[in-house]
Amino acid sequence: MMQKADYILKGTAIFTGNNDLPITGCLLIKNNRIMKIVPVDRMTGYIGEKTTIINCGDHLIMPGFNDSHLHLSLGAVQNDPDFCIQMMDCKSEEECVQRVNDFAKSHPHNPWIYGTGWYSEVWDHPHMPTKDSLDKLHLNRPVCLNSFDLHSVWCNDIALKKVGITKDTPNPQGGIYGHDKNGELNGILYEPPASKAMMDAVLDVPTLKQSLLKCLKHFRKLGITSVADVYPSGLINHDIPEIFAELEQENELTTRISSFPSLTDLEGAIKLKQKYHTDKHRVAGLKQVLDGVIEAHTALLSKEYDNDPGVYGDTSLTQVQLNQYVLDAQKKGYPVKIHTIGDKASTMALNAFENAQSKLGKLTLHNSLEHIDTIKKDDINRLQKLNVMCAVQPQHCIGDYMSGGYLPCIGQQRLSRAWPYREILDAKAHLAFGSDFPAVYSIKPIWTIYAAVSRCEPTEGKPKGGYFREHAVTLAEALRAYTKWSAYAESFEQDLGTLEPGKLADVVVLDRNLFKVPTDEIRFAKVTLTMADGKIVYKR
């Protein structure tokens, strides 16, 4: 007797992820798995008394979006309005300070005043803020404000004193305590090693579970059915894995989580994997932040910064240390993600993988470079040989178009070769797409897809012709990068990423066929249906 489907999604635009164009047919789902895709004239044999038929017409049916790089817990609390001030849209230091003052008045019992998203490069008059403007509020509480990229913290004097940072405190490796021309602290802490003590004090969040529930609801609306939650988490809560497990047990975990804990704590990762390894919540590999960011002059470059002669950036590990950590991880079967924004950092990471390959033979684990903003051509050509992919965030290059932050740092020639997605694909390496949430303009996957194929920002569609459009990818490549190759980057490709028989039924339906609309209209698409684990979890 023919097995009956629980759901049949009928449509003329089914993007399986294995072909460049959508097909017509019926997607059959039974329990939490995909049965098959059949022609429309064969649908009736799979219809039972309990079968739900959804006629999607010409709307695009595709695998659920899989964000290959985000910080889930941090993003959840930073988007909780009772915990965090949002400053992404602020146009000046004064506007940021006013929001701090307003939040302090409306939340008198919060022990810290915390905010995120300030981006001085897009202010009406770009400049680096200082603690002076915060100190003038005369608040009796510490203020800690994360920049949009999470690589700088702006704080008041009370916050510095609370964590014991003085003008004589030596810089930690990979971090900088900002000083003014008189040698006094200016209230800016560059890179996580410098801000760690302060962030540890701020980000121990007792209401994390409630924040995560709000975040998961938002993900359902956006069609995000899987994510790679990468180190650092951004919080110091020791119960994050337990909270994920609770959400799974309570059937609230509608987004699959593949965790990538710290590369430097392999034993800890092994213990986590032994305890948590289901198809909803699993340990998939390890992650290391190797360098910083361009705007803060902390990304490691092979050539000095144009606007800071003699400065090349820095790394969190030496080449010898990185080689050993990567080798140990490969021996134990753990893929590694390495944050590399500066071109020399990418070279170091590839050197570490090459060292492991020389000792272990051809690498088969799904290792990746994260971000690769300024990777060199020679290193792009090494990717396939070392079986290393790139997990990238297309909205980052659009953020630079809006801010203009890279040009003074690296100059026009180097900028013209930044975020070279087309070249990476042409070199037969793989791209996985993500957001870097919460360090992103928007977590909307549709906006990331649009940025990748148009190289334009998604609100107004600028600049005309695209921001270095020669690095754009095709629509099919972009959709696969956000589904098929994200699953591959998580070593989850046997169960996720394409619409094929036996795979988990994580599916989204958009309100239009992206392959039939002008490129500029992609940015307006919305999710009309999200299915996670074979169940409808969102319907517009």
Side-chain angles (χ1 to χ4, degrees), residues 395-427:
Q395 285 195 58
H396 282 190
C397 67
I398 301 308
D400 179 67
Y401 156 70
M402 297 169 72
S403 70
Y406 274 37
L407 181 59
C409 295
I410 61 175
Q412 183 69 21
Q413 183 177 1
R414 282 189 284 181
L415 179 60
S416 70
R417 287 193 44 75
W419 306 284
Y421 305 151
R422 177 76 268 146
E423 191 172 348
I424 290 168
L425 290 177
D426 288 346

Side-chain angles (χ1 to χ4, degrees), residues 58-104:
D58 62 353
H59 293 179
L60 191 66
I61 303 168
M62 59 173 287
F65 289 113
N66 186 337
D67 194 308
S68 69
H69 183 116
L70 53 63
H71 309 272
L72 179 55
S73 300
L74 179 63
V77 299
Q78 286 193 344
N79 284 271
D80 189 330
D82 290 317
F83 183 82
C84 182
I85 312 163
Q86 286 294 328
M87 298 178 167
M88 184 69 82
D89 61 334
C90 287
K91 297 299 183 183
S92 67
E93 181 174 2
E94 293 75 20
E95 187 176 355
C96 291
V97 172
Q98 184 59 52
R99 289 198 186 178
V100 168
N101 197 38
D102 293 343
F103 185 87

Side-chain angles (χ1 to χ4, degrees), residues 490-505:
E490 298 157 0
S491 304
F492 217 165
E493 73 276 11
Q494 297 302 316
D495 286 304
L496 291 180
T498 55
L499 302 181
E500 294 182 84
K503 290 198 172 182
L504 291 162

Side-chain angles (χ1 to χ4, degrees), residues 251-500:
N251 294 316
E252 296 283 359
L253 195 57
T254 49
T255 296
R256 302 182 195 278
I257 301 171
S258 292
S259 296
F260 288 79
S262 173
L263 174 65
T264 61
D265 185 15
L266 179 56
E267 292 306 314
I270 291 171
K271 291 177 182 177
L272 275 178
K273 187 171 183 176
Q274 291 170 343
K275 191 172 183 181
Y276 305 107
H277 201 72
T278 71
D279 61 20
K280 290 284 190 75
H281 172 211
R282 57 199 281 277
V283 173
L286 304 168
K287 158 79 185 306
Q288 177 63 33
V289 177
L290 186 58
D291 70 341
V293 295
I294 297 288
E295 301 96 320
H297 297 182
T298 52
L300 185 66
L301 302 179
S302 57
K303 178 185 173 184
E304 65 186 2
Y305 283 86
D306 284 16
N307 56 353
D308 203 352
V311 172
Y312 294 83
D314 201 0
T315 59
S316 59
L317 298 173
T318 66
Q319 184 72 67
V320 172
Q321 290 171 326
L322 181 63
N323 286 356
Q324 190 61 54
Y325 282 125
V326 168
L327 180 62
D328 291 345
Q330 304 299 288
K331 287 179 177 178
K332 293 291 186 179
Y334 284 77
V336 176
K337 288 178 172 285
I338 304 180
H339 165 121
T340 61
I341 285 182
D343 63 339
K344 193 170 182 179
S346 291
T347 300
M348 284 182 64
L350 290 173
N351 288 347
F353 291 125
E354 191 169 65
N355 173 72
Q357 183 161 280
S358 72
K359 292 176 169 57
L360 303 176
K362 187 171 178 59
L363 300 181
T364 57
L365 299 177
H366 301 171
N367 301 305
S368 64
L369 305 186
E370 309 291 300
H371 312 305
I372 52 93
D373 293 19
T374 59
I375 188 171
K376 288 184 277 192
K377 181 177 179 63
D378 288 348
D379 283 336
I380 290 175
N381 293 331
R382 298 169 70 193
L383 292 167
Q384 185 192 33
K385 178 183 176 183
L386 295 170
N387 191 32
V388 174
M389 64 187 303
C390 297
V392 301
Q393 302 76 39
Q395 285 195 58
H396 282 190
C397 67
I398 301 308
D400 179 67
Y401 156 70
M402 297 169 72
S403 70
Y406 274 37
L407 181 59
C409 295
I410 61 175
Q412 183 69 21
Q413 183 177 1
R414 282 189 284 181
L415 179 60
S416 70
R417 287 193 44 75
W419 306 284
Y421 305 151
R422 177 76 268 146
E423 191 172 348
I424 290 168
L425 290 177
D426 288 346
K428 307 301 182 185
H430 300 308
L431 289 177
F433 281 176
S435 64
D436 204 10
F437 175 74
V440 68
Y441 185 69
S442 169
I443 194 176
K444 291 181 183 178
I446 290 297
W447 280 12
T448 293
I449 296 296
Y450 174 72
V453 301
S454 71
R455 301 284 286 205
C456 295
E457 59 83 22
T459 54
E460 299 181 21
K462 296 179 179 178
K464 185 177 180 180
Y467 191 54
F468 301 107
R469 183 68 175 269
E470 64 271 20
H471 297 308
V473 303
T474 68
L475 177 58
E477 289 168 338
L479 293 176
R480 280 196 289 267
Y482 228 130
T483 54
K484 180 177 182 176
W485 295 113
S486 290
Y488 182 89
E490 298 157 0
S491 304
F492 217 165
E493 73 276 11
Q494 297 302 316
D495 286 304
L496 291 180
T498 55
L499 302 181
E500 294 182 84

